[in-house]
Amino acid sequence: MPKKHKPIPVVPFDGLIKGHESVNEDRDRLGPGDPTVALIRALHKEQKPEVILAIDYRLRALAKLISEGKGKPWTFAMTEEGGHMVNEALFRAAARAPLFTAKTVGEVAFNPDEFMKIALEESETDGQA
């Protein structure tokens, strides 16, 4: 019988952003490594372990979505190495979009259609009607 995938909990937007910033800081300071260490360092005093784990899953799924080119028009490529400027709407969507465990961490992914619907809800309207 196939194993049923469990939902990964919604996380606080502020915690997701703080975690993302800590991953970037560690990468800039120390080079590539395991982003989980940066998340724990930054969030251990204010978040429970299960929330830190959910933030880790959600940031990885967001990175996967962007690297697959599915984050447009909310991203702007900045470097040849794959760096992007990312609109806040994608982070807000990553904090709350449905996400489920998978066989491996690398297989955890947002449903692009559901994710983009939430990102659109989170986007600020540009222009006037």
Side-chain angles (χ1 to χ4, degrees):
M1 185 170 181
K3 185 178 177 183
K4 185 171 178 160
H5 299 295
K6 297 178 186 177
I8 295 171
V10 169
V11 299
F13 170 73
D14 292 341
L16 186 91
I17 291 297
K18 186 173 182 178
H20 171 70
E21 290 170 350
S22 71
V23 169
N24 284 341
E25 289 168 9
D26 276 14
R27 186 180 311 116
D28 290 345
R29 192 168 46 96
L30 305 170
D34 187 349
T36 307
V37 174
L39 293 174
I40 293 168
R41 178 188 52 77
L43 300 172
H44 75 280
K45 291 181 181 175
E46 60 198 55
Q47 300 293 343
K48 294 180 180 180
E50 55 271 15
V51 174
I52 296 172
L53 181 60
I55 288 171
D56 188 25
Y57 275 120
R58 289 179 172 280
L59 287 174
R60 288 175 191 265
L62 177 60
K64 181 178 182 176
L65 184 113
I66 291 169
S67 71
E68 293 173 348
K70 297 177 184 167
K72 296 176 183 177
W74 293 283
T75 63
F76 180 76
M78 296 295 294
T79 66
E80 291 179 18
E81 295 82 29
H84 289 82
M85 293 284 295
V86 179
N87 186 290
E88 184 179 295
L90 290 187
F91 286 104
R92 290 191 176 279
R96 70 180 186 100
L99 189 63
F100 297 88
T101 59
K103 193 172 185 178
T104 67
V105 173
E107 293 175 4
V108 174
F110 292 110
N111 174 302
D113 293 334
E114 289 179 26
F115 185 89
M116 288 305 152
K117 182 179 175 186
I118 293 169
L120 189 58
E121 290 171 8
E122 293 290 351
S123 295
E124 292 182 14
T125 307
D126 289 333
Q128 299 176 356

